[in-house]
Amino acid sequence: MPYKDEEKRKGYNKMYYENFIDKEEHKNKYREYYQKNKDRISARKKEYYQRNKENINGKVKEYQRQNKDSVKKRSADYYQRNKEQCKEWSRNWYENNKDRHKENNKRNHTNANNKSKLTAHNYNRTWSFEEKEILLILKADGVPSSQIAMLLGRTIRSVENMAHKIKTKGALDTNVSNKQNSEAMDELMDLIVAYCLVSKE
């Protein structure tokens, strides 16, 4: 008689599979069955997912949250084994979802910029010549805009706009008003140097 309790039923099935089933033969039979009924199985899975979408997505997110390292490692391993296939999939997805991709990037950038405002103690202040020099040093060293913003007390958008402005202009403006105290800038530079050294270890 089947178990009415779901957990007991799963436990019995697992025990039976581990002790009484020829695993290789079972896998071969499943592959054969799957190939013969691929469309029907796929349709059934999609139907089940749509009925239980919220619950399934919640479980997936919770599993990923609790197993970040193993999920990251499996993803990296899968990508290395299927690099060309993954690149092709990404290209196809992008071609078919350009507007969605643009909206996602815009939303993520806005969220990140809003978050950076919490540490932007120089928000809306004129950029000093020293700050611009430091910005160029960090950009050349490959430091992300989000971390530059945190170090300089700016927003991400402010950092990116200034980096673009300097690049377009081709030179730094040495006649910038409102220069910050040189001792404070020296202290900030020491902090940035320390940060760069730690990040390279």
Side-chain angles (χ1 to χ4, degrees):
M1 183 177 179
Y3 284 103
K4 293 183 179 180
D5 186 286
E6 182 70 13
E7 292 302 318
K8 286 185 177 180
R9 184 181 65 79
K10 288 181 179 179
Y12 174 80
N13 288 343
K14 183 177 180 181
M15 181 276 295
Y16 186 83
Y17 177 79
E18 292 294 334
N19 295 284
F20 301 103
I21 295 293
D22 184 324
K23 295 177 181 58
E24 195 60 37
E25 181 182 356
H26 178 76
K27 288 179 181 178
N28 290 334
K29 285 183 178 179
Y30 178 78
R31 289 193 194 101
E32 183 180 343
Y33 175 82
Y34 178 79
Q35 289 302 322
K36 290 180 178 178
N37 301 274
K38 187 184 292 187
D39 293 340
R40 187 162 62 88
I41 293 173
S42 179
R44 197 165 58 201
K45 284 182 177 180
K46 288 179 181 178
E47 183 184 347
Y48 178 83
Y49 174 73
Q50 290 302 324
R51 288 201 314 268
N52 302 274
K53 189 174 184 178
E54 187 174 336
N55 186 37
I56 293 172
N57 289 343
K59 287 182 178 179
V60 169
K61 288 180 180 178
E62 180 63 20
Y63 178 85
Q64 290 175 337
R65 187 185 66 79
Q66 294 181 359
N67 301 273
K68 287 182 180 179
D69 292 339
S70 61
V71 169
K72 187 176 180 180
K73 185 178 184 303
R74 281 204 306 271
S75 297
D77 290 343
Y78 179 86
Y79 177 79
Q80 290 301 321
R81 293 195 310 271
N82 304 274
K83 190 176 290 187
E84 292 305 317
Q85 182 180 347
C86 289
K87 287 181 179 179
E88 182 64 24
W89 182 87
S90 295
R91 282 192 292 268
N92 290 338
W93 188 91
Y94 175 75
E95 287 299 322
N96 295 322
N97 299 273
K98 285 184 179 180
D99 291 340
R100 182 179 173 187
H101 178 74
K102 185 177 180 180
E103 286 299 317
N104 286 344
N105 280 348
K106 184 178 179 181
R107 183 180 65 252
N108 292 339
H109 189 274
T110 299
N111 290 341
N113 187 68
N114 290 338
K115 188 176 179 181
S116 70
K117 287 181 180 179
L118 299 175
T119 56
H121 53 269
N122 288 322
Y123 186 59
N124 278 341
R125 289 181 60 184
T126 303
W127 280 72
S128 69
F129 176 74
E130 291 87 348
E131 281 183 302
K132 293 180 182 181
E133 284 188 310
I134 292 171
L135 170 61
L136 288 181
I137 292 170
L138 294 178
K139 274 292 184 182
D141 203 40
V143 179
S145 296
S146 58
Q147 294 177 14
I148 297 176
M150 182 178 65
L151 289 166
L152 294 179
R154 298 283 179 177
T155 64
I156 294 174
R157 187 165 292 155
S158 177
V159 166
E160 292 177 346
N161 287 344
M162 182 53 66
H164 177 73
K165 184 177 179 181
I166 294 172
K167 183 179 179 181
T168 303
K169 195 172 183 180
L172 290 175
D173 182 4
T174 56
N175 298 316
V176 179
S177 61
N178 230 359
K179 280 192 176 183
Q180 294 189 12
N181 182 277
S182 60
E183 290 183 1
M185 291 306 301
D186 288 341
E187 184 179 342
L188 177 59
M189 196 63 206
D190 290 339
L191 175 64
I192 291 171
V193 170
Y195 162 80
C196 292
L197 291 174
V198 170
S199 64
K200 290 178 180 179
E201 289 181 353

